[in-house]
Amino acid sequence: MRLADAGTTPDAEVGAGCCRWRRSPTDGPAGDITHPLTVLQDCGLVRREVDAFRKNRSVYRIGEPLIAFDHVVSRTKLALFDRGLAEQVWEGSRARFLSAVVGPHFEQICREWVAHFAAPETSGGMPIDVSYGTVADPPARTGHEVDVVVRGAVGQDNGVLLSLGEAKWDQIMGERHLERLRHIKELLTGRGIDTSAVRLSCYSGAGFTDDLWNAQARGEVVLVDLRRLYAAE
């Protein structure tokens, strides 16, 4: 299966984490790939993620981790596998596997947990839309990706920004991760977005520092570890 950056939206990306294909002058119109992408989405092999803060930007990601593993690790090292160097390939590819396959998959698990299994109190309202988002940081000339963006209903109000979250599978999360989320919240407030209901959340497969647990006790952050992630609330 080959994924292509089709341009079905003004700014679209396709791949297992970050593999992309750029359109060349010899390629057909953008619509040529719309149907194949739709079929792949219907089969659950590809998922389309819309940026929570830039609605004209979407990302297509491989939805099946085994296929993502094949694209990220196996296909790029076939010659080495043929030589029986699987152990060496894994040693050189493990970091890439964690960042391009495991990381995005864990982020998606966290989004699905918020959307379907977490108690409404976790986000401070009833989740309606759970996605990822990117926030520009002009003073720093960079941008920040938010792994879990939750919008939902509070009372009679719909579309309220409820939560900004960061997910790390293989990192113990600490104060610096919380500071990053605080900074992103400030950037959104500066853009005129109502962040009064926002709860900051950290999701980790490796755990949290004592400082972060203390921050949760003070009501500054919501922490979701594997025990909470895999248990119904």
Side-chain angles (χ1 to χ4, degrees):
M1 181 178 65
R2 184 184 182 197
L3 295 182
D5 179 0
T8 52
T9 62
D11 186 3
E13 302 173 5
V14 184
C18 63
C19 63
R20 305 182 181 96
W21 172 81
R22 296 293 182 185
R23 179 174 302 281
S24 72
T26 59
D27 294 320
D32 287 355
I33 202 169
T34 301
H35 178 65
L37 279 176
T38 300
V39 172
L40 291 172
Q41 289 180 80
D42 291 343
C43 294
L45 296 176
V46 168
R47 65 176 183 269
R48 178 173 180 261
E49 300 174 2
V50 179
D51 193 313
F53 304 114
R54 298 168 58 189
K55 295 301 184 182
N56 66 332
R57 182 177 187 270
S58 60
V59 176
Y60 289 88
R61 298 189 188 275
I62 297 177
E64 170 51 58
L66 288 177
I67 297 177
F69 175 84
D70 179 63
H71 278 261
V72 170
V73 178
S74 302
R75 292 200 178 194
T76 61
K77 301 289 192 299
L78 287 178
L80 296 177
F81 281 121
D82 289 341
R83 293 172 55 191
L85 300 176
E87 185 175 346
Q88 290 84 343
V89 169
W90 176 244
E91 290 176 357
S93 304
R94 186 175 185 275
R96 171 72 171 151
F97 169 71
L98 289 173
S99 64
V101 180
V102 178
H105 186 62
F106 181 64
E107 293 164 10
Q108 179 62 19
I109 288 176
C110 294
R111 288 190 286 266
E112 291 179 355
W113 179 81
V114 172
H116 303 294
F117 302 104
E121 295 78 16
T122 299
S123 299
M126 184 63 67
I128 295 176
D129 180 66
V130 183
S131 60
Y132 87 106
T134 54
V135 179
D137 189 348
R141 296 183 179 181
T142 188
H144 304 282
E145 183 164 318
V146 186
D147 300 325
V148 184
V149 181
V150 185
R151 293 184 184 274
V154 178
Q156 299 299 314
D157 297 327
N158 294 321
V160 178
L161 184 60
L162 298 176
S163 178
L164 303 172
E166 184 166 359
K168 297 294 183 185
W169 166 250
D170 59 340
Q171 293 183 27
I172 296 176
M173 301 185 73
E175 188 68 25
R176 67 183 180 88
H177 296 95
L178 180 56
E179 284 300 323
R180 178 177 180 272
L181 290 173
R182 287 170 175 156
H183 178 59
I184 293 172
K185 179 181 176 182
E186 291 174 356
L187 291 171
L188 292 172
T189 303
R191 288 170 46 179
I193 296 176
D194 184 2
T195 61
S196 59
V198 166
R199 295 187 178 185
L200 305 180
S201 303
C202 291
Y203 307 79
S204 176
F208 310 98
T209 63
D210 291 340
D211 288 342
L212 214 53
W213 283 112
N214 292 335
Q216 177 177 247
R218 296 192 299 269
E220 299 175 8
V221 65
V222 175
L223 303 183
V224 181
D225 56 12
L226 290 182
R227 177 187 295 182
R228 187 173 183 183
L229 191 65
Y230 284 95
E233 291 194 330

